Amino acid sequence: MSIRQNLAANLRRLCKDHASVSAVCRELGINRTQFERYLQGQTVPNKATAKLICDYFRVDEAELYRYPGAPSPAAPGLPPISESLFTQMIRPPAPSIAGGTYFTYFSIPGRSDLLVRAITFVRREAELVTFRRVTGWSEHHRSTWARARGNHYGVAISRLNWIYFSGVNRRQTGEPSLISVQWAPISEPVLTGKAMLLTEAGPAFVSVIMRQDRSNIRPRHAIRMAHVVRLDDPSLDQLVVSLARDGLG
């Protein structure tokens, strides 16, 4: 395979974990037509664009152009303390949560009539659980929580019957976030807990509800639903409304 074909195959693989190629192009700020030329193996990006792509997908340039069937080179290894921390983070037990799309609702400080609806895509690979959470995607400029637009990626772990979603925003702010939830003691499968994330006033602790989508909604459609919603919105899940009015469990 040529270097252009290698790039095309690797980009297609990397894009699979995202809602759509269009979403990737928007987040990268790259023209869709130009990006399609990379995907079709017609050309390769210049150095500046290649770095932008590598930073976005968290890969190095060698991996971007490597033959897809070639084994990955042996990693030099993390420093001892980093390796120890990472090992502790992903050690069993794995979180008791299925892969799929989850509607994730955050309370807004001082606004009991509103919720921020984010979309969390959970992925299971054996004992490793990772996620992507999209927040405020459909918000207009200067609207509530517009500054909190997020594209968080991270890992989910389980400790003492709590599930922790620890991630970092890939958007310009780059801030970390932490959600701690557990299964609510009710008949319906719903997760409730607290979250530490960025609000208009800075970092804050807010209440959170997570509920899995059972309608097989398309990722692109789900992302369009990532915005502020009113509690009196008739389309809002009534269990979520009830939990929110009761203080989110």
Side-chain angles (χ1 to χ4, degrees):
M1 293 177 70
S2 69
I3 190 171
R4 290 180 298 178
Q5 292 172 318
N6 290 351
L7 171 71
N10 289 327
L11 276 180
R12 288 194 294 269
R13 172 179 56 81
L14 292 168
C15 286
K16 283 182 179 180
D17 290 335
H18 296 258
S20 67
V21 172
S22 294
V24 170
C25 292
R26 283 196 302 271
E27 293 167 21
L28 281 169
I30 294 178
N31 179 273
R32 171 65 187 266
T33 301
Q34 183 62 33
F35 196 78
E36 281 291 343
R37 296 183 67 197
Y38 305 149
L39 290 174
Q40 299 303 320
Q42 297 173 2
T43 187
V44 297
N46 59 31
K47 277 286 185 182
T49 304
K51 184 179 187 307
L52 184 68
I53 293 172
C54 289
D55 290 345
Y56 176 78
F57 287 113
R58 298 292 196 271
V59 298
D60 57 34
E61 193 169 352
E63 182 177 347
L64 194 63
Y65 293 109
R66 186 166 55 239
Y67 174 62
S72 300
L78 296 169
I81 187 169
S82 300
E83 186 174 11
S84 175
L85 287 171
F86 183 73
T87 300
Q88 286 294 314
M89 177 172 285
I90 65 171
R91 67 176 172 82
S96 58
I97 185 171
T101 301
Y102 289 76
F103 292 107
T104 308
Y105 300 89
F106 301 101
S107 62
I108 301 177
R111 293 299 305 270
S112 59
D113 59 325
L114 301 176
L115 292 174
V116 172
R117 178 168 56 202
I119 308 299
T120 303
F121 301 103
V122 176
R123 182 176 181 180
R124 293 193 70 104
E125 297 178 25
E127 293 298 302
L128 180 63
V129 179
T130 57
F131 72 92
R132 177 194 181 199
R133 187 177 69 254
V134 179
T135 307
W137 203 256
S138 303
E139 294 302 302
H140 298 294
H141 182 58
R142 297 185 182 279
S143 64
T144 303
W145 272 46
R147 284 181 55 194
R149 285 168 58 90
N151 189 23
H152 287 255
Y153 286 77
V155 62
I157 64 174
S158 180
R159 297 292 183 272
L160 300 175
N161 297 320
W162 288 85
I163 299 174
Y164 296 87
F165 290 84
S166 178
V168 174
N169 194 354
R170 282 193 176 176
R171 295 186 66 81
Q172 291 180 348
T173 47
E175 84 281 357
S177 65
L178 179 65
I179 294 177
S180 177
V181 292
Q182 62 181 178
W183 293 105
I186 57 178
S187 58
E188 293 287 337
V190 60
L191 291 155
T192 62
K194 298 291 183 182
M196 185 199 76
L197 36 75
L198 185 65
T199 71
E200 290 180 317
F205 285 93
V206 299
S207 297
V208 61
I209 299 170
M210 292 182 66
R211 193 162 196 210
Q212 187 174 15
D213 168 58
R214 299 293 185 179
S215 64
N216 295 317
I217 189 171
R218 293 179 179 273
R220 187 179 302 178
H221 184 199
I223 287 176
R224 287 200 293 267
M225 298 173 67
H227 53 73
V228 172
V229 292
R230 297 186 62 88
L231 279 183
D232 58 6
D233 185 332
S235 67
L236 193 57
D237 187 323
Q238 289 305 298
L239 176 59
V240 171
V241 172
S242 175
L243 289 170
R245 287 177 172 161
D246 289 341
L248 296 99

